[in-house]
Amino acid sequence: MISSSIKQLNQPPPPPPPKEQIRSTGVSSKWARVLEGSTRGGSRAVLPDGITVYYHTAAQGFTGRATGAILMLEYAGVEYICKEPSDLPPDAPSVFAVPAVRFPKSGLIVSQSAAIHQALGKALRLLPATEDGGMRALQVALNAADIVSEQSKLKENEERRNKWLDIMEGELRDAKSGFMVEQMLTYADFACYAPLKGMSLRGYLGGHPLLATWVDMMGAQPGMVSHPKCPSPPTQSTQLFDASHKPRRMWTLPSPDPTRPNRPNPTDQGV
């Protein structure tokens, strides 16, 4: 028994848990501090570049169901590119319809809007901090996808429209933070922005003050516009948005912005 205990003490410490586990479970430990860094120093993981978004017209004519994904990428400030559905690899049988997103490191292609938002949330560090928050964020993203699918019906059916708006207003009331889930901006907010912004423009948010405030808050985030224009190769410098939005030079990693939640601090890494 004693020799067994000594043997255990002499063993090296276990490896740190993966960063994804720390983000999704909210573990607070020295490994969380090592992997996530501090707000004033230390190292942070560099966000992924080279993500590809597949959508109709390469998202040049309209962004439609790809809007949430594109806005997440713009907000995060990473390099990405948009391509036509015909550019999808022939060995991507899991894609029934676009949008679809390809992650450069693994080559994984993800379709279905809610799945894309969740996957980008993980890649861009826009996940909730707790397991419960993760489940709620997925529910909110799926609700947003249903609202998009029912847009034409909701224009005529005021009762059904208000039922959805009541549900979304309730999410903000429960979170008590101004965000859809927990105390931070997550992929759930981006999933909801396009459909709820559309309802706001049609004057449907009367009686839902939290949603009205949330739409204004989201619209003020970096890179957020109602109708983004996705970059396409091999453009070197492209006017992506309207005149109020500063264009980015594509294929060059922009400097991190310390005002963006969940983004690396420029003092943390020399990019």
Side-chain angles (χ1 to χ4, degrees):
M1 180 69 70
I2 294 177
S3 61
S4 176
S5 300
I6 293 175
K7 183 177 180 182
Q8 291 178 3
L9 289 173
N10 289 333
Q11 291 180 345
K19 177 169 67 69
E20 292 81 1
Q21 178 181 343
I22 291 177
R23 285 289 302 156
S24 62
T25 61
V27 174
S28 177
S29 68
K30 71 172 184 177
W31 294 118
R33 294 190 294 273
V34 168
L35 293 176
E36 295 292 341
S38 68
T39 57
R40 298 185 181 277
S43 61
R44 286 177 181 261
V46 177
L47 302 184
D49 290 312
I51 288 174
T52 302
V53 179
Y54 298 91
Y55 200 62
H56 306 293
T57 73
Q60 298 299 299
F62 67 104
T63 54
R65 293 175 185 263
T67 302
I70 292 170
L71 291 177
M72 289 177 72
L73 292 163
E74 277 296 321
Y75 173 85
V78 297
E79 293 178 9
Y80 67 103
I81 193 171
C82 287
K83 293 185 177 182
E84 296 272 2
S86 59
D87 293 322
L88 275 164
D91 57 347
S94 63
V95 179
F96 179 79
V98 292
V101 168
R102 181 184 183 277
F103 292 88
K105 185 175 181 179
S106 64
L108 176 68
I109 296 177
V110 179
S111 62
Q112 295 286 359
S113 297
I116 289 171
H117 294 147
Q118 186 183 52
L120 285 175
K122 183 176 181 179
L124 303 177
R125 305 172 73 179
L126 288 166
L127 288 176
T130 68
E131 185 175 356
D132 286 354
M135 290 186 283
R136 178 54 64 90
L138 179 57
Q139 174 182 301
V140 171
L142 289 167
N143 282 342
D146 283 347
I147 292 174
V148 171
S149 297
E150 296 185 15
Q151 278 186 340
S152 58
K153 181 189 300 183
L154 297 181
K155 291 179 183 179
E156 307 296 333
N157 193 329
E158 182 178 359
E159 180 181 0
R160 188 172 184 86
R161 181 175 72 234
N162 284 333
K163 183 176 181 179
W164 274 122
L165 292 175
D166 289 344
I167 288 174
M168 291 302 189
E169 181 92 353
E171 296 290 357
L172 293 170
R173 188 182 304 112
D174 290 346
K176 298 182 179 68
S177 63
F179 301 111
M180 284 290 173
V181 179
E182 293 185 344
Q183 308 298 309
M184 66 186 73
L185 188 68
T186 68
Y187 74 87
D189 294 286
F190 291 92
C192 296
Y193 181 65
L196 293 180
K197 175 67 174 181
M199 289 192 178
S200 174
L201 292 173
R202 296 185 183 98
Y204 293 158
L205 298 188
H208 299 87
L210 296 180
L211 281 177
T213 300
W214 175 88
V215 168
D216 290 341
M217 179 275 296
M218 287 296 295
Q221 297 298 319
M224 298 292 286
V225 291
S226 298
H227 303 289
K229 183 180 179 182
C230 191
S232 59
T235 308
Q236 183 67 17
S237 181
T238 306
Q239 176 67 45
L240 300 180
F241 304 115
D242 56 32
S244 64
H245 183 82
K246 184 178 179 181
R248 295 199 283 113
R249 182 173 293 275
M250 300 314 300
W251 313 106
T252 302
L253 180 65
S255 299
D257 186 342
T259 65
R260 304 188 189 187
N262 302 327
R263 286 286 292 141
N265 189 298
T267 61
D268 294 342
Q269 53 185 333
V271 295

